[in-house]
Amino acid sequence: MDSFTSSIFSVMLTLALLAASFDTTGAQIGVCYGMLGSNLPSRPDVVALYNQRNIRRMRLYGPDQPALQALRGTNIELMLGLPNEDLQRIASSQANANIWVQNNVKNYGNVKFRYIAVGNEVQPSSQNAQFLVPAMRNIQNAISNAGLGAQIKVSTAVDTGILGESSPPSKGTLKPDHRPLLDPIIQFLVNNKSPLLVNVYPYFSYASNPQERLDYALFTANSVVVQDGSLGYRNLFDAILDAVYSALEKAGGGSLEVVVSESGWPSAGGKATSIDNARIYNSNLIQHVKQGTPKKPGKPIETYIFAMFDEDQKTPELEKHWGLFFPNRQPKYPINFN
């Protein structure tokens, strides 16, 4: 190969590799589609909005049939929730799990299911805690028996209240009173090579800690805020996520990936809430998750922003104001998902 041809080839190869890397990093962001709001658009209009705004992933909190219908034939990848109130029924029999998977997954063969999130933020003190892992096992069996095990991963979503110690991130540990619930979850996920879904909210850490800096929470700090050995942290999101990774390593979950199943910033209703802060946080989040964390640099973080719309049927007031879009489908503030 002469030098001119060789240099052309290397340029083309570089461009191809860049295109491939942009494709994978660009595909990391999804948006949670909650439905507890008044005057929300129809399911087909919402799916059209995802496509129009190039949002490639969606989280649904339950098997809403009109939404599943609207997703048919689209390229939107779906995290489908199995609600907490259904855990006991699904845990009680394999047949119930098989029916759930038949009705809500297999019947929608042209929907791109990515995860089944069995339960959301189930607490150890909850009545549902005893049913969580048995329900996960039954859904996993149903997915595997349907021949979908390679395509669809079964997991559960936890909040960062699972952390005992979290600062600095390398000291991350799980709360001892959460271990009876979390240890079987971790073992299940390791065995099935499924990720742990974690709802990560720097907003709540900032709002509850008078010492926390706003720029650290909003990704706008200009220099390292927390030094942890050789690793420097400029934002709270990375610090929380790496504390989760450290805690998992100490609990036999060192091989697990973490998917950020919710993150966002409210535009009203509490401390440091404004449309501007919501815009800054979510815009920076979209760009930041392409890069990984100090503990896992260069590894894009699959992340779902909470949420598509304000949900005015929720309480307290703070819970109403997390939406990226108004019910008329206009953005609350400029945001780019590319």
Side-chain angles (χ1 to χ4, degrees):
M1 194 184 291
D2 64 54
S3 63
F4 176 74
T5 311
S6 173
S7 64
I8 289 288
F9 177 76
S10 67
V11 167
M12 288 175 70
L13 183 61
T14 303
L15 286 172
L17 289 170
L18 272 173
S21 72
F22 279 132
D23 183 56
T24 54
T25 55
Q28 294 303 312
I29 284 286
V31 178
C32 303
Y33 175 18
M35 300 179 182
L36 298 177
S38 308
N39 306 312
L40 294 186
S42 70
R43 276 42 160 199
D45 282 348
V46 173
V47 170
L49 183 58
Y50 271 74
N51 281 324
Q52 178 197 333
R53 301 300 299 223
N54 198 33
I55 304 167
R56 306 306 330 145
R57 291 182 180 150
M58 176 188 291
R59 180 179 181 185
L60 274 181
Y61 290 90
D64 180 82
Q65 302 300 307
L68 292 171
Q69 286 285 0
L71 285 164
R72 284 186 184 279
T74 70
N75 281 320
I76 296 169
E77 293 185 297
L78 182 64
M79 178 190 296
L80 177 62
L82 190 156
N84 294 356
E85 57 266 26
D86 293 341
L87 292 174
Q88 182 173 1
R89 182 170 58 82
I90 299 302
S92 69
S93 88
Q94 185 61 54
N96 287 349
N98 295 346
I99 292 166
W100 194 94
V101 167
Q102 178 67 53
N103 290 346
N104 303 308
V105 180
K106 287 178 74 177
N107 284 357
Y108 296 93
N110 55 352
V111 171
K112 295 185 78 168
F113 293 95
R114 185 170 176 83
Y115 305 112
I116 307 296
V118 179
N120 183 53
E121 298 186 352
V122 175
Q123 301 301 312
S125 56
S126 150
Q127 272 191 307
N128 287 318
Q130 62 186 308
F131 306 119
L132 179 54
V133 173
M136 292 171 73
R137 286 199 195 103
N138 286 350
I139 292 292
Q140 180 69 60
N141 290 338
I143 291 288
S144 300
N145 293 340
L148 299 169
Q151 174 196 336
I152 303 171
K153 293 297 182 183
V154 176
S155 187
T156 188
V158 300
D159 60 49
T160 52
I162 63 172
L163 292 172
E165 201 168 344
S166 62
S167 186
S170 62
K171 291 273 202 318
T173 55
L174 299 175
K175 283 180 180 163
D177 64 345
H178 281 55
R179 293 293 294 267
L181 176 62
L182 293 172
D183 286 357
I185 291 171
I186 291 167
Q187 201 54 57
F188 171 91
L189 298 175
V190 168
N191 291 346
N192 290 288
K193 296 183 169 58
S194 295
L196 179 64
L197 312 176
V198 184
N199 300 337
V200 177
Y201 284 104
Y203 174 76
F204 288 119
S205 300
Y206 166 75
S208 63
N209 181 357
Q211 270 71 54
E212 208 66 87
R213 285 169 43 176
L214 183 60
D215 61 349
Y216 187 51
L218 289 174
F219 299 97
T220 55
N222 291 321
S223 58
V224 169
V225 176
V226 171
Q227 191 69 41
D228 184 7
S230 62
L231 302 179
Y233 289 84
R234 291 171 179 245
N235 67 80
L236 194 46
F237 178 88
D238 281 352
I240 295 169
L241 196 48
D242 279 354
V244 171
Y245 272 120
S246 296
L248 289 173
E249 286 171 3
K250 298 179 182 92
S255 65
L256 294 182
E257 279 194 44
V258 170
V259 169
V260 176
S261 41
E262 291 179 11
S263 193
W265 196 280
S267 58
K271 176 183 173 183
T273 59
S274 68
I275 286 178
D276 207 41
N277 282 348
R279 176 188 61 78
I280 291 167
Y281 180 84
N282 286 323
S283 297
N284 285 335
L285 178 70
I286 289 167
Q287 296 310 314
H288 179 76
V289 297
K290 299 174 183 179
Q291 305 161 21
T293 68
K295 189 173 171 65
K296 294 185 180 282
K299 182 170 176 44
I301 306 151
E302 185 177 341
T303 299
Y304 294 75
I305 295 178
F306 188 85
M308 199 65 175
F309 301 104
D310 283 350
E311 295 180 86
D312 61 359
Q313 294 163 19
K314 287 184 166 182
T315 55
E317 186 64 24
L318 182 72
E319 294 294 323
K320 302 177 194 286
H321 302 286
W322 296 77
L324 300 171
F325 294 91
F326 294 114
N328 66 1
R329 290 172 280 164
Q330 294 305 304
K332 196 185 282 184
Y333 42 82
I335 191 156
N336 184 352
F337 296 94
N338 296 326

